[in-house]
Amino acid sequence: MPANLHFEIARSIVGFFVLLLFLSFCEAASFFQPISDAHRSAALELFSLDHGSFKSLEETYEALRTFDLLGIEKKPDVTATACRLISEAVGSSSSTPKDLFYALKANSIAKCTIEDKAFQGIIKRLNAAVDGASSLLDFHYSVGGLVLIKSYKADVHLANADGIFRSVKAFSQSDGRWRYSSNNPESSAFAAGIALETLAGVVSLASSELDQSLISTLNNDISKLFDSIEKYDDGTLYFDDKLVDGSDHQGPLATTSSVVRGLTAFAAVSDGSLNLPGNKILELANFFLGIGVPGDAKDLFNQIDSLALLESNRQGFPVALLMVSIPLILSLPSTVLSLTKKDSLQVKVNTVFGSNAPPLTVKLVGAFTSDSKDASLVESQELVFDAGTGLHNLNNLPKSIDVGSYSFVFEIVLHKSEHEKVYVTGGHKKVPIFVSGLIKIENAEISILDGDLGSIETQKKLDLAGQSAVSLSANHLQKLRVSFKLTTPRGHAFKPHQALLKLRHESKVEHIFVVGNSGEHFEIVLNFLGLVEKFFYLSGRYDIELTVGDVVMENSLLRAIGHIELDLPEPPEKAPRPPPQPVDPYSRYGPKAEITHIFRAPEKRPKEELSFAFLGLTLLPLLGFLIGVSLACITFMFSFNQQKLSRVGVNLKNFPTNTVPATFAILFHVSIGAVLLLYVFFWLKLDLFQTLKVLGLLGVFLVLVGHRILSYLAATSAKLKSA
């Protein structure tokens, strides 16, 4: 098997074991945190304005309700926009009962001004909608709208409340679920929540007391609905519907939220006839808190609104729900305690919204290791309450608690008996606790043993706390032994999740070995004779690396402890070959090897004296040429005064005297001088290409004027001869 595959398997097994242990431990003892500032930040981010307003009245109400419940002060100013949308909805004759329902809900928070005349028109339209309703949602929006108007005008009633109650009750099913209409055979728990909220509105709007048999029948339906409640492994409860039609399916959060709205609304008007188990209310609250911070605006509203209904003493919600107990949430600021830092155990008890709990005592009634179901490691003891911080503290952990992972069991005891009817604590609460500390690493040694007798041939101490490294050598007939001792701060044996020894050959081939233990003593012996094939008969240097790690070990280490020179036998013909090492895909973008060019060796050159002599011979014609140019310049300078030039012996008898030929003669001599001057610049400054470019222009001009003056001289000479 390839060495890198050995490493992957070992790492995967250890990682999987750690993950499985952690998940199983957390699964068995989950705990939840109350609403925090993270929810407030999420609300500001999720309920964002679209061009100054929200998309609909429903979304406007959900935003206003969420901001109000969370107590967000720096919220977007949407009151003016909300009032405009509300006024349009209540003043329009085309508004549906749904529009009026959410307009009135939003107005209960925005407090916009609605004229009494508009209320009278809405009441007539909603009463007509109730009389003509044929589906559950028709009843829900029209009855819900009338309930909201009743908070403004107390004289709103339903004349035929019994008949409406029975019409809505006709949608119920034998399992506690409800249908949306008589034409739709599918039932759901989501519709059950809507139905309970609607029937609660019918009860509150009834002009006279309803038939109590109807209320009793509804209580039975609620009991059947709770029989179908779902349960997670951590004990949290929720409602969910089987996926029948994907377009109408609601998730567990929306479904549970709908049921909670219906239950709390009906509990408010049931006059004590509905008595829900406190533990189930607590586990429903834990379900909403276990979601954390939702990433969707609708989900966040459902979570916050449902928790506010369960915490009935929230501002803006009636305190009549004494039959729905208020859940108390036990949470810990930190579930990791350090023995080294002497951390104290801190516990906080609040309502789901973080409000202060009534006077109570928190007890630590048990502590168990994560892999044991034995007796508790601690005796029951009370935590000390600090009124300044609102925390219950246990300053010193019991001596029986050492480094490791535990499940602490807490109990909340209310001081006043009357509070037991208002609040629910949920009995014993298990919380996962990790106790960390510095692990003592002692008696660390590395030895080379004789292969047959097992006697020590070389032994060296290991300083795992420092950076020192050892150097060893061995052959295939010897053994390598590494041993050390691990103890906790309490002096007990410690077994980490990972204890690995790695040998890496200079060719990058790696081998991973798990270090075994017996109590607090860890030891591994490598018999090189039995490992020659696994080592692919590769002799040479092997770097040695030791890994000791655990989630509760504050001084986990991954350290190179030295190297060993191995002398292994030559491999046989069919011996396994080392696997090809993986190539780093990013290496193609790294620096490339430098390219070295090979030039032809320079040829032998003549002596310096010979070169200078040849240069002198080359310059002689140039010297004669310069002399001729000088004479030509002199001729040009005295061309206009032939008599004076004749006196100095210059022959200008053939120089033209007419204006046109004389001009061409002058231009001809000037062109020759320019060409000579160009040669000088070529020698001093210009390159060959620049010189040829200018010379081409001058050469054409020189040919033209030279041809003209020479033609004139030839014609003149011919005339003289003929004469």
Side-chain angles (χ1 to χ4, degrees):
M1 184 180 292
N4 55 349
L5 187 57
H6 278 290
F7 171 71
E8 293 297 333
I9 292 176
R11 185 174 64 178
S12 300
I13 291 175
V14 174
F16 177 75
F17 172 75
V18 174
L19 179 62
L20 184 62
L21 179 63
F22 177 77
L23 290 179
S24 62
F25 183 47
C26 293
E27 215 173 69
S30 300
F31 71 102
F32 309 94
Q33 297 288 349
I35 297 300
S36 62
D37 290 337
H39 292 82
R40 297 177 177 86
S41 300
L44 291 172
E45 181 179 351
L46 295 175
F47 289 103
S48 58
L49 298 174
D50 184 11
H51 298 91
S53 65
F54 295 103
K55 297 178 182 179
S56 64
L57 276 169
E58 182 179 359
E59 186 177 345
T60 302
Y61 161 69
E62 291 173 355
L64 292 173
R65 172 73 169 166
T66 305
F67 291 154
D68 183 58
L69 292 174
L70 292 177
I72 299 177
E73 298 178 356
K74 297 182 179 179
K75 57 180 180 289
D77 186 11
V78 297
T79 304
T81 304
C83 289
R84 178 178 58 81
L85 294 175
I86 292 169
S87 299
E88 292 176 357
V90 300
S92 174
S93 59
S94 60
S95 297
T96 63
K98 180 180 179 180
D99 295 333
L100 296 174
F101 174 73
Y102 282 109
L104 294 170
K105 271 184 166 290
N107 189 63
S108 65
I109 302 174
K111 307 299 182 183
C112 306
T113 302
I114 300 179
E115 297 180 358
D116 186 70
K117 182 179 179 181
F119 274 123
Q120 296 298 331
I122 295 173
I123 293 173
K124 291 181 180 180
R125 291 162 59 186
L126 291 179
N127 277 318
V130 171
D131 294 337
S134 60
S135 68
L136 178 60
L137 291 178
D138 292 340
F139 283 110
H140 174 65
Y141 293 132
S142 54
V143 172
L146 291 172
V147 172
L148 291 167
I149 294 177
K150 188 177 181 180
S151 62
Y152 300 98
K153 299 176 66 65
D155 58 344
V156 178
H157 300 287
L158 288 175
N160 186 21
D162 277 351
I164 297 172
F165 195 101
R166 287 184 170 87
S167 297
V168 177
K169 184 66 175 64
F171 299 124
S172 66
Q173 299 294 293
S174 59
D175 60 353
R177 301 175 187 269
W178 294 63
R179 295 178 297 164
Y180 288 102
S181 68
S182 57
N183 298 326
N184 185 1
E186 300 297 337
S187 60
S188 69
F190 185 86
I194 295 176
L196 292 174
E197 188 177 0
T198 304
L199 293 177
V202 173
V203 173
S204 65
L205 293 172
S207 56
S208 60
E209 187 175 352
L210 292 177
D211 186 356
Q212 289 300 314
S213 63
L214 296 176
I215 304 297
S216 300
T217 304
L218 190 58
N219 287 336
N220 293 332
D221 292 340
I222 294 175
S223 299
K224 294 177 182 178
L225 180 63
F226 268 87
D227 291 339
S228 64
I229 198 168
E230 305 285 344
K231 185 177 182 179
Y232 284 122
D233 293 337
D234 59 3
T236 55
L237 302 177
Y238 67 98
F239 292 92
D240 196 11
D241 292 321
K242 295 180 180 179
L243 181 60
V244 177
D245 185 358
S247 60
D248 296 332
H249 178 72
Q250 303 289 338
L253 177 57
T255 302
T256 308
S257 179
S258 175
V259 174
V260 167
R261 290 192 193 97
L263 289 173
T264 53
F266 188 72
V269 299
S270 63
D271 296 330
S273 61
L274 177 63
N275 191 0
L276 298 177
N279 287 339
K280 290 189 176 181
I281 296 300
L282 178 61
E283 294 305 333
L284 286 174
N286 286 337
F287 166 74
F288 290 112
L289 293 176
I291 296 172
V293 181
D296 178 75
K298 188 74 173 180
D299 291 343
L300 180 63
F301 164 74
N302 285 329
Q303 180 194 45
I304 300 301
D305 185 55
S306 300
L307 290 173
L309 294 174
L310 294 177
E311 186 180 335
S312 57
N313 59 350
R314 292 288 298 167
Q315 183 179 2
F317 193 82
V319 193
L321 300 183
L322 295 181
M323 293 302 104
V324 180
S325 302
I326 302 174
L328 293 179
I329 305 301
L330 183 145
S331 60
L332 277 72
S334 176
T335 58
V336 179
L337 307 176
S338 173
L339 285 179
T340 306
K341 300 177 182 178
K342 298 182 179 179
D343 292 339
S344 60
L345 176 64
Q346 297 179 332
V347 177
K348 194 169 187 178
V349 180
N350 302 99
T351 63
V352 292
F353 269 83
S355 302
N356 293 330
L360 52 83
T361 298
V362 177
K363 293 183 178 180
L364 176 62
V365 297
F368 304 89
T369 58
S370 59
D371 56 352
S372 175
K373 302 295 182 181
D374 297 335
S376 173
L377 299 175
V378 299
E379 296 180 355
S380 179
Q381 50 187 309
E382 293 184 3
L383 277 66
V384 179
F385 179 68
D386 185 353
T389 61
L391 297 173
H392 300 261
N393 302 309
L394 181 63
N395 293 325
N396 297 316
L397 291 176
K399 296 296 183 181
S400 57
I401 301 299
D402 204 346
V403 171
S405 55
Y406 298 89
S407 179
F408 280 17
V409 182
F410 297 95
E411 182 183 16
I412 300 175
V413 180
L414 296 170
H415 290 176
K416 297 181 179 180
S417 59
E418 58 266 23
H419 286 163
E420 295 178 359
K421 299 180 180 179
V422 181
Y423 298 93
V424 56
T425 60
H428 290 178
K429 182 65 176 178
K430 290 184 178 181
V431 179
I433 299 292
F434 293 90
V435 180
S436 64
L438 291 174
I439 302 301
K440 298 178 182 178
I441 307 176
E442 302 173 315
N443 301 335
E445 297 176 345
I446 185 169
S447 308
I448 300 296
L449 308 179
D450 179 74
D452 296 327
L453 303 177
S455 57
I456 298 176
E457 297 186 357
T458 304
Q459 186 177 42
K460 294 187 178 182
K461 296 287 186 181
L462 293 176
D463 181 15
L464 298 180
Q467 299 296 329
S468 60
V470 299
S471 177
L472 301 170
S473 62
N475 57 40
H476 66 288
L477 299 178
Q478 295 175 310
K479 299 178 182 179
L480 174 68
R481 183 179 68 187
V482 178
S483 60
F484 52 90
K485 179 182 177 183
L486 299 179
T487 54
T488 66
R490 305 285 198 201
H492 301 128
F494 178 72
K495 183 179 180 180
H497 288 155
Q498 293 181 347
L500 305 173
L501 185 70
K502 180 196 295 185
L503 271 67
R504 182 190 298 111
H505 189 254
E506 53 194 355
S507 63
K508 307 302 181 183
V509 177
E510 296 181 349
H511 306 277
I512 308 293
F513 303 93
V514 178
V515 182
N517 74 299
S518 175
E520 62 187 20
H521 185 73
F522 285 76
E523 181 179 280
I524 183 173
V525 178
L526 300 181
N527 186 357
F528 294 125
L529 183 60
L531 294 173
V532 289
E533 273 198 29
K534 185 176 181 179
F535 282 18
F536 306 107
Y537 296 88
L538 291 176
S539 299
R541 172 172 171 152
Y542 285 81
D543 293 325
I544 308 173
E545 188 175 87
L546 180 63
T547 303
V548 180
D550 194 281
V551 67
V552 295
M553 183 177 176
E554 295 179 1
N555 55 335
S556 297
L557 60 91
L558 172 62
R559 186 152 303 152
I561 60 176
H563 70 275
I564 182 172
E565 291 286 343
L566 270 183
D567 182 15
L568 301 181
E570 292 295 326
E573 291 186 8
K574 297 183 179 181
R577 305 300 301 167
Q581 295 303 305
V583 179
D584 184 5
Y586 295 101
S587 61
R588 58 183 297 184
Y589 305 110
K592 304 299 181 182
E594 183 179 356
I595 300 175
T596 303
H597 295 279
I598 301 176
F599 297 95
R600 186 179 62 182
E603 298 179 356
K604 294 184 67 175
R605 300 194 176 189
K607 293 183 178 182
E608 187 176 351
E609 293 79 4
L610 182 60
S611 298
F612 280 116
F614 182 78
L615 177 62
L617 293 175
T618 305
L619 293 177
L620 283 177
L622 178 61
L623 182 61
F625 178 74
L626 292 176
I627 294 173
V629 170
S630 301
L631 294 176
C633 292
I634 294 173
T635 302
F636 171 73
M637 292 172 60
F638 295 100
S639 60
F640 292 102
N641 198 343
Q642 295 184 7
Q643 294 179 355
K644 293 182 179 181
L645 292 174
S646 300
R647 294 176 183 175
V648 295
V650 178
N651 184 12
L652 297 176
K653 61 180 181 179
N654 289 330
F655 198 87
T657 56
N658 295 334
T659 303
V660 175
T663 301
F664 280 105
I666 294 172
L667 291 176
F668 177 68
H669 286 85
V670 171
S671 299
I672 294 175
V675 171
L676 296 177
L677 184 62
L678 179 63
Y679 287 161
V680 174
F681 278 106
F682 170 67
W683 184 267
L684 298 176
K685 184 176 181 180
L686 300 179
D687 57 29
L688 179 61
F689 296 101
Q690 294 172 329
T691 304
L692 291 176
K693 186 185 299 183
V694 179
L695 183 61
L697 299 175
L698 289 177
V700 172
F701 183 76
L702 180 61
V703 169
L704 292 176
V705 297
H707 179 268
R708 186 67 179 270
I709 189 59
L710 292 177
S711 299
Y712 172 78
L713 293 176
T716 303
S717 177
K719 288 181 180 180
L720 292 175
K721 290 180 180 179
S722 61

